[in-house]
Each structure stands twice: as C-alpha cells, then as structure tokens.
Amino acid sequence: MLSYATGQYPPNSIAVGDFNNHTLLDVAIGLSHVNSTGVFLGQRNETLAEQTMFPTGSSPWSVTVMDFNNDYRLDIAVINGNENNGGVLLGYGNGSFAAQTTFPTGMNPWVIAVGDFNNDTRLDIVIANGPNTTISVLLGYGNGTFATQTTFSTSNNPQAVTVGDLNKDNRLDIVAANFDSATVGVFLGYGNGTFANQSTFSTGNSPQSVTVGDFNNDTRLDIAVANDGANSVGILLNICYCCAP
C-alpha cells in the first residue's frame, strides 16, 4: 500500500475527481483539525503529488466533489462543523481553487450529499445536522451558490446522508442514518425540492454511515448501513419501490 502524509492531523473524509483536467484522478480530503481541505494531484506514474492545502471554515468534517457552477471544472464542497455552515471552493481547472463561499446550515452539520432535487439540472445539496436532529436541503442556483435551507426532521442524531431514487418515480429521495435511534430514515422526494416526512426502518445499533445500491439485481435500490454500535453492516432490501409520495 502506498501512503501519503496529510500532516500531523488525521483526515476526516475523502473524495476523488480530476481537478486539473489531466485525465488522472486527484484526491481531496477534509482536515478538520487544521481547518483546511487537502488536495493531492495524480501523477502519470500512478502516484500522488505532495498535498496542497486550501483554507475552509472550522472543522471541515465532510467533503464532496462536483461541478457546482456548470463550468466543466470540478469544485469542492465542505461542511464546517464548528461554524454551522458549508463552503464551496470553486475550481479553476488547474488543480487550484478559489476561496470558499459559505452558506448557512443547521446546527452541528456532519455530512453532505449532492443531487438534483427539483429537476432543474442544477446541483443541490443535503446535509445531516447531527445532534440538531434535522437534515437541510439547499437548492442550487447553478453558479456555486445556494438558496436558504429547508429543514426536515429526522430521528435522533443523523450521522450520514445519501441520495437515490428509491421508488422509481424519477425523483431523488434521501436516506439518513439516525445514530441514536438505530434506524434509517427515508424521505421520498416530490421532485420540487421538498420531501415527504421520513419513514423509518430499523438497523443495528448506532448506524453511522449509509449508501444505496442494487444488491440483489432486481432493479430496485437497496440500503446498506454501517452499524458502529453493533460491529456490523446491514442490508435493507427494497420491497416496495411503487410506494410514491
């Protein structure tokens, strides 16, 4: 295994993308203890260049990579957990990034996910607000900025969030991992940026991470969850994709 130094503090999250249009994958990491995002550019010899750090807000717990301003250059979005906001660092297409532009979130934000929730071809974001017991949806304007958040109540302490079309209505839905209630919450989307109240499904103890995929090849998205308190991974098979909101 090759390893690359991130400095004296541990990374909290990771995302990949081609930040300088050289057809090689680069790596972005959240460095919460130094309030920065670290970027490692890929090299032709299948290694990564030395890390370059870009300032964020305080405690960037989660990082993701997308083109938020439709200029065909990848940008970085982070969640600044200690400031109750998020930030977007617009990419220049050469491996460097503009100073972050911030947007308010709920209290104690943990994790960010991305999707088009109102079918306007602009990327929106959803954030799990940990002890605040909400998720926040911020609709994108397509220029790297976002509308004021709309919040939706979850069960206790959502630690993670992901998106996918769970009921095959061509509208994105949201899944949250509710750490303190041993459940995942499913929010079915209406396709206009709003969502039905959550439906909850039991997991193992302390679900801390969640993703979706078709695990039994029936064309329906299922849910996989990492149960921190049970030392297990759980799979919830989707048995009712027709249940539209």
Side-chain angles (χ1 to χ4, degrees), residues 127-143:
I127 298 161
N129 294 314
N132 190 234
T133 313
T134 63
I135 59 172
S136 297
V137 173
L138 294 88
L139 299 180
Y141 291 124
N143 60 0

Side-chain angles (χ1 to χ4, degrees), residues 43-126:
Q43 302 184 114
R44 297 290 175 187
N45 60 359
E46 300 181 357
T47 63
L48 300 177
E50 185 176 349
Q51 172 182 236
T52 301
M53 291 199 297
F54 298 90
T56 65
S58 178
S59 297
W61 296 120
S62 179
V63 61
T64 191
V65 172
M66 284 287 182
D67 178 9
F68 292 105
N69 61 343
N70 295 310
D71 64 354
Y72 304 102
R73 303 167 182 171
L74 285 181
D75 313 307
I76 297 173
V78 301
I79 292 303
N80 300 312
N82 286 346
E83 295 184 3
N84 299 328
N85 68 27
V88 172
L89 294 81
L90 296 179
Y92 292 123
N94 61 1
S96 63
F97 297 84
Q100 73 165 353
T101 300
T102 60
F103 48 87
T105 68
M107 293 181 65
N108 306 119
W110 283 109
V111 174
I112 186 172
V114 178
D116 179 5
F117 301 129
N118 58 347
N119 294 311
D120 64 355
T121 72
R122 303 169 181 171
L123 289 177
D124 313 309
I125 58 178
V126 57

Side-chain angles (χ1 to χ4, degrees), residues 31 61 63 75 77 114 142 145 153 194 200 230 232:
L31 297 168
W61 296 120
V63 61
D75 313 307
V114 178
T145 65
S153 295
T194 65
T200 58
S232 69

Side-chain angles (χ1 to χ4, degrees), residues 153 155 174-176 178 183-188 196-201:
S153 295
S155 302
I174 296 171
V175 183
N178 298 317
T183 64
V184 292
V186 173
F187 299 80
L188 295 179
N197 293 335
Q198 77 166 348
S199 299
T200 58
F201 302 89

Side-chain angles (χ1 to χ4, degrees), residues 167 169 171 173 187-191 194-197 241-245:
N167 56 349
D169 63 355
R171 304 167 181 171
D173 311 307
F187 299 80
L188 295 179
Y190 292 120
T194 65
F195 295 83
N197 293 335
Y241 66 77
C242 58
C243 301

